[in-house]
């Protein structure tokens, strides 16, 4: 009887562990988004994370007959990338991101995690370092 319980508990732990890994560490998608960096902040009560919002060109409404700007909300886990984006507010940026199926508190509020900055341009379209 003790062996049976051990096997059942082991299977349950493995299934739950597999689900956790799939939900929070499996990269569901990768891509690039470009737009004007609206804001970028560090916030959080326990885990300080970097959060940002990118305003993309064009308009799209969530419901028929409405107009709304396209917004891309994202998180940044890498301190070096965060420092690069802290000085880019109001500039046009191209960001490479990974999309996960869930968000973790120490990684950020968003399932979209920016892992590199491709380019930063000023209002005149000139590339900035």
């Amino acid at each position: 009887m003790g062996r049976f319980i051990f096997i059942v508990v082991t299977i349950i732990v493995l299934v739950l562990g597999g689900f956790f890994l799939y939900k929070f560490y499996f990269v569901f998608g990768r891509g690039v988004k470009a737009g004007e960096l609206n804001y970028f902040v560090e916030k959080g009560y326990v885990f300080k994370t970097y959060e940002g919002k990118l305003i993309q060109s064009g308009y799209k409404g969530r419901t028929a007959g409405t107009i709304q700007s396209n917004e891309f909300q994202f998180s940044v886990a890498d301190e070096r990338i965060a420092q690069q984006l802290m000085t880019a507010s109001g500039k046009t940026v191209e960001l490479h991101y990974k999309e996960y199926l869930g968000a973790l508190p120490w990684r950020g509020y968003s399932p979209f995690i920016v892992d590199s900055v491709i380019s930063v341009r000023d209002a005149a379209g000139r590339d900035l370092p």
Side-chain angles (χ1 to χ4, degrees):
M1 183 66 172
R3 182 177 166 97
F4 175 76
I5 292 174
F6 175 75
I7 291 172
V8 169
V9 168
T10 303
I11 290 172
I12 290 172
V13 167
L14 289 174
V15 167
L16 289 175
F19 175 76
F20 181 82
L21 288 173
Y22 176 73
K23 175 100 172 143
F24 298 108
Y25 288 97
F26 172 71
V27 177
F28 179 69
R30 298 175 198 269
V32 175
K33 297 271 188 176
E36 183 179 322
L37 187 61
N38 188 15
Y39 74 85
F40 190 75
V41 296
E42 180 183 21
K43 65 181 180 179
Y45 293 111
V46 176
F47 299 105
K48 296 291 185 188
T49 61
Y50 294 99
E51 309 296 324
K53 186 184 290 186
L54 193 71
I55 305 297
Q56 299 174 279
S57 62
Y59 296 97
K60 171 182 94 173
R62 292 182 191 256
T63 58
T66 62
I67 295 177
Q68 178 178 334
S69 64
N70 294 323
E71 295 178 345
F72 174 62
Q73 294 186 1
F74 61 91
S75 299
V76 174
D78 187 344
E79 181 80 25
R80 182 183 53 81
I81 295 167
Q83 293 307 318
Q84 198 175 0
L85 290 173
M86 282 288 189
T87 61
S89 186
K91 296 180 177 66
T92 300
V93 296
E94 280 184 276
L95 304 174
H96 184 271
Y97 68 92
K98 293 179 183 175
E99 179 181 359
Y100 295 92
L101 298 173
L104 291 169
W106 54 86
R107 193 168 58 193
Y109 295 112
S110 172
F112 299 101
I113 308 298
V114 169
D115 60 357
S116 66
V117 176
I118 296 171
S119 69
V120 178
R121 294 187 187 100
D122 62 10
R126 295 181 303 249
D127 284 340
L128 299 174

